[in-house]
């Protein structure tokens, strides 16, 4: 959840840049000007040599500055190691066909320890994922992906499934279903009961399932945004955190949810009691 929160923040920042390269360049500039990320620590022999060569303020700076930074070459090595890890994670999910054969791996991917560690069982797992992807394409159930050029609802305290994104507060849930084509209100049929939901587009069932807990169907509503996205609002029957919207969908860890509430989230009576308590603390 913590990574996802920060990734959503970066996604919002990324929209201010024309390309990912510009975003990375700005981040490296931040490391250069605001941190000691690029500062190289010297070994004792070199410190001794430089101390003899320089004296006064320069010599003191050399000694003092050696208390921060990192060992030579460690930043480049760690950065490349992290890059390879995330690159392989991405390829295994999005382009598994690149690593299913040795010829493809040698052609498109540089040799690295992370790639060598992928054993036969892992390649079989990748192959199975590729087959699953093909089945989803054949059945029209291709999962959607979120890019920096698109605007989506936040997945704060929620998550993303193959069919929708969602977020939640203690008393409500918001769902976004990208339908990848221009849609009209007359083409959409959303059926919500206290316990379940069905969504049709042009009489084709797009979403069906039983809620994790009951909702107040009279307070639930939906609308279309950007002509291609269906937004659904659900009001929970009781205030609590849901690990998923629909039973059987991937669950989140509710113990890691940010459960802070704004003062205005409470009813007027509770707000008054909180203000009274805060006032007493100041006296």
């Amino acid at each position: 959840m913590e990574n996802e929160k920060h990734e959503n923040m970066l996604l919002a920042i990324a929209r201010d840049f024309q390309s990912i390269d510009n975003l990375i360049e700005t981040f490296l500039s931040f490391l250069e000007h605001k941190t000691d990320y690029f500062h190289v620590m010297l070994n004792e022999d070199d410190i001794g040599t430089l101390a003899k060569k320089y004296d006064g303020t320069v010599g003191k700076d050399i000694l003092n500055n050696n208390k921060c930074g990192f060992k030579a070459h460690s930043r480049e090595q760690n950065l490349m190691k992290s890059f390879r890890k995330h690159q392989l994670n991405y390829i295994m999910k999005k382009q598994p066909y690149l690593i299913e054969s040795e010829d493809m791996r040698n052609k498109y991917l540089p040799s690295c320890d992370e790639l060598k560690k992928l054993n036969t069982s892992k390649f079989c797992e990748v192959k199975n994922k590729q087959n699953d992807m093909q089945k989803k394409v054949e059945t029209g159930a291709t999962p959607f992906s979120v890019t920096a050029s698109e605007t989506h609802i936040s997945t704060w305290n929620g998550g993303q499934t193959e069919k929708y994104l969602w977020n939640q507060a203690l008393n409500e849930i918001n769902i976004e279903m990208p339908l990848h084509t221009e849609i009209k209100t007359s083409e959409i049929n959303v059926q919500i009961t206290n316990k379940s939901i069905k969504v049709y587009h042009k009489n084709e069932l797009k979403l069906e399932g039983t809620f994790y807990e009951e909702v107040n169907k009279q307070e639930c509503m939906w609308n279309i945004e950007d002509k291609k996205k269906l937004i659904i609002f659900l009001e929970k029957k009781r205030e609590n955190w849901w690990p998923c919207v629909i039973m059987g969908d991937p669950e989140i860890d509710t113990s890691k949810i940010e459960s802070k509430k704004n003062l205005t989230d409470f009813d007027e009576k509770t707000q008054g009691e909180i203000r009274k308590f805060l006032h007493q603390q100041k006296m």
Side-chain angles (χ1 to χ4, degrees), residues 15 47 51 71 113 151 219 261:
R15 295 192 180 103
I47 291 176
K71 293 182 179 180
D113 292 339
T151 302
E219 303 300 326
K261 294 179 69 174

Side-chain angles (χ1 to χ4, degrees), residues 80-93:
M80 185 53 66
K81 184 177 181 180
S82 182
F83 176 88
R84 294 299 179 210
K85 181 186 76 172
H86 291 289
Q87 181 189 42
L88 286 177
N89 287 343
Y90 177 89
I91 287 174
M92 287 176 64
K93 289 185 290 186

